[in-house]
Amino acid sequence: MSNATATEPHTAQAAAGRFGAYGGRYVPETLMAALEELERAYAEAQADPAFTSELDYLLRNYAGRPTPLFHAARLTEHLGGAKIYLKREDLLHTGAHKINNCIGQGLLARRMGKRRIIAETGAGQHGVATATVCALFGMECVVYMGEEDMRRQELNVYRMRLLGAEVRGVRSGSATLKDAINEAMRDWVTNVRTTHYMLGSVLGAHPYPTMVRDFHRVIGNEARQQILEMEGRLPTAIIACVGGGSNAIGAFFAFIPDAGVRLIGVEAGGRGTSLGEHAARFQGGSPGVLQGTYSYVLQDDAGQVSLTHSVSAGLDYASIGPEHAALHDSGRAEYVSANDAEALNATVTLARMEGILPALESAHAVAEAMRIAPTLQRSDLLIINLSGRGDKDMGILSRELKLQGA
Ligand SMILES: *Cc1c(COP(=O)(O)O)cnc(C)c1O
């Protein structure tokens, strides 16, 4: 389950949840029934007006939707090209888009009668959103986290515990995200009757990539309506950072049929182009299976999953959501990368131009906008999906950036 394979395996489930050749359901037999139960429950929930109206209520009154679309006038002037708008997912409760998905899955778990929630987390952001929703619904919450990540993200570990979650350290492998996912999968196999696995991005086996995307589609739906109201036309491009790919697909989805709108995903270029130094799956990766789904994976010639690096923990993963793999191969979306230094520079620029501190993940999208805006016309419109706020990154920023007068 943790090793990638260079060629696409053939199983009975190969047709379920496909995006072109990608996606599918590559899990042990013991999880098949649980995934089928989840798929069924999700389909029923979508058709139930009581479910959608409670979801809408919580997104509006608990999470803080709709989020604003903000014209970044000083950044636009500074770059001297396209007019730049920010989709402010950073203003949501808990500070990032992740809450959209956690509220959706929390409601679904309650509907399925599952009172125990497990999740995995790397930087701790998904763990915090999960712990938050479990407190809201009065559910038991267990979060798996690599011990290395726990050490690096001490404050988020404390935050989860304060919210009532149990954080379980994982020591195996590199003691980071992919090891925490393996451990969460093991827990799910054992406790599947009482437990819902709250997956944090558009990854994993079907139905997760589709379901998680649907819970984030609200981002693009709102942005499309907002830009039409404000400008009377569609944007030239919408730009989002891509870790697993949930904020990006959520922002892109409503625009996929609008052939004139460029969809630009920004991966983590890290500190170099060799394997192990970055998390740019479309630059150094190849198709393979990782943790339940078939997509692009950073792996060596023997199919061993490689280590990754990014200054932003949320982009630091060896695979990418399968729908992005399909959008990449079809050419409908473009994928580029921004490196650590460019993301740090974009953070400072946005802070000083607009008084907004982006999450280091989101700063990768800002970096790409800074690169292309000057090459475009003043009549061009860019939307940056600002997936989260930077408060969580102050420790890293204060180490990486020496400020004048400090
Ligand atoms: C987790 C996270 C990401 C990366 O996850 P996606 O599934 O790719 O969206 C991006 N931005 C922020 C602020 C995050 O917390």
Side-chain angles (χ1 to χ4, degrees):
M1 206 158 56
S2 64
N3 283 359
T5 53
T7 55
E8 182 191 352
H10 296 276
T11 73
Q13 287 293 327
R18 288 285 165 175
F19 305 95
Y22 302 103
R25 189 178 267 169
Y26 301 97
V27 295
E29 271 310 309
T30 43
L31 284 183
M32 280 299 185
L35 289 164
E36 281 161 9
E37 180 195 7
L38 180 61
E39 184 180 7
R40 232 177 2 255
Y42 176 55
E44 284 167 16
Q46 275 182 303
D48 180 355
F51 179 85
T52 44
S53 80
E54 189 168 11
L55 180 58
D56 286 349
Y57 172 85
L58 290 171
L59 289 177
R60 175 175 292 272
N61 299 299
Y62 187 72
R65 304 211 72 92
T67 60
L69 185 70
F70 173 69
H71 171 215
R74 287 211 336 122
L75 182 64
T76 297
E77 274 319 299
H78 175 68
L79 296 172
K83 186 170 182 181
I84 298 176
Y85 281 89
L86 306 174
K87 179 61 174 162
R88 301 288 312 274
E89 294 295 294
D90 61 311
L91 293 177
L92 288 173
H93 182 45
T94 70
H97 67 290
K98 288 192 169 77
I99 194 80
N100 300 328
N101 170 48
C102 289
I103 291 175
Q105 285 195 49
L107 281 174
L108 197 56
R110 198 181 63 188
R111 211 184 146 88
M112 293 166 74
K114 301 199 175 183
R115 310 291 309 179
R116 181 175 181 268
I117 301 292
I118 57 169
E120 82 299 330
T121 196
Q125 292 307 109
H126 175 57
V128 168
T130 301
T132 298
V133 163
C134 288
L136 175 68
F137 292 141
M139 290 170 168
E140 183 186 344
C141 182
V142 175
V143 178
Y144 289 92
M145 191 169 185
E147 290 197 346
E148 178 59 23
D149 287 334
M150 284 177 75
R151 207 181 44 71
R152 290 192 291 203
Q153 304 287 338
E154 233 180 283
L155 223 56
N156 272 340
V157 173
Y158 182 78
R159 206 167 288 173
M160 286 181 261
R161 288 179 172 151
L162 189 59
L163 288 160
E166 181 193 338
V167 182
R168 289 192 190 163
V170 176
R171 203 169 298 170
S172 56
S174 52
T176 58
L177 180 60
K178 90 177 150 49
D179 312 294
I181 297 177
N182 287 339
E183 211 48 48
M185 291 276 228
R186 228 162 270 146
D187 181 316
W188 204 29
V189 169
T190 313
N191 302 299
V192 68
R193 282 197 9 197
T194 60
T195 300
H196 173 67
Y197 181 8
M198 194 173 284
L199 216 151
S201 190
V202 283
L203 294 165
H206 179 65
Y208 283 104
T210 301
M211 183 177 72
V212 176
R213 175 201 69 201
D214 287 347
F215 288 136
H216 285 301
R217 277 169 63 177
V218 63
I219 303 171
N221 289 345
E222 285 175 8
R224 195 173 184 286
Q225 191 184 339
Q226 287 165 322
I227 197 81
L228 286 174
E229 276 164 17
M230 294 163 89
E231 294 283 350
R233 60 204 165 98
L234 292 171
T236 309
I238 179 150
I239 307 176
C241 66
V242 191
S246 69
N247 87 87
I249 201 73
F252 292 172
F253 199 76
F255 296 96
I256 290 175
D258 304 314
V261 179
R262 290 172 63 190
L263 310 174
I264 304 175
V266 189
E267 299 185 281
R271 61 191 164 207
T273 53
S274 50
L275 208 59
E277 298 294 300
H278 63 85
R281 288 67 45 105
F282 290 129
Q283 284 172 44
S286 52
V289 168
L290 182 63
Q291 292 173 324
T293 192
Y294 179 62
S295 186
Y296 278 70
V297 180
L298 287 166
Q299 55 189 325
D300 66 17
D301 295 339
Q304 281 298 314
V305 179
S306 55
L307 293 177
T308 51
H309 165 81
S310 171
V311 69
S312 64
L315 304 186
D316 199 353
Y317 183 64
S319 188
I320 184 168
E323 193 164 10
H324 288 288
L327 288 170
H328 169 269
D329 286 10
S330 73
R332 177 62 191 93
E334 307 157 50
Y335 295 86
V336 298
S337 68
N339 64 30
D340 287 356
E342 290 165 330
L344 289 164
N345 178 49
T347 300
V348 178
T349 302
L350 193 67
R352 301 208 171 159
M353 288 292 151
E354 302 293 346
I356 295 170
L357 289 166
L360 277 170
E361 291 82 4
S362 323
H364 287 70
V366 177
E368 175 61 14
M370 288 171 59
R371 188 154 50 204
I372 66 171
T375 71
L376 298 171
Q377 306 297 315
R378 285 188 172 269
S379 55
D380 283 311
L381 304 173
L382 288 184
I383 297 177
I384 304 171
N385 191 39
L386 210 65
S387 55
R389 63 176 180 234
D391 305 44
K392 68 184 177 62
D393 295 320
M394 285 308 121
I396 298 166
L397 288 168
S398 64
R399 280 192 300 279
E400 297 283 337
L401 287 172
K402 291 297 164 225
L403 303 179
Q404 254 183 351

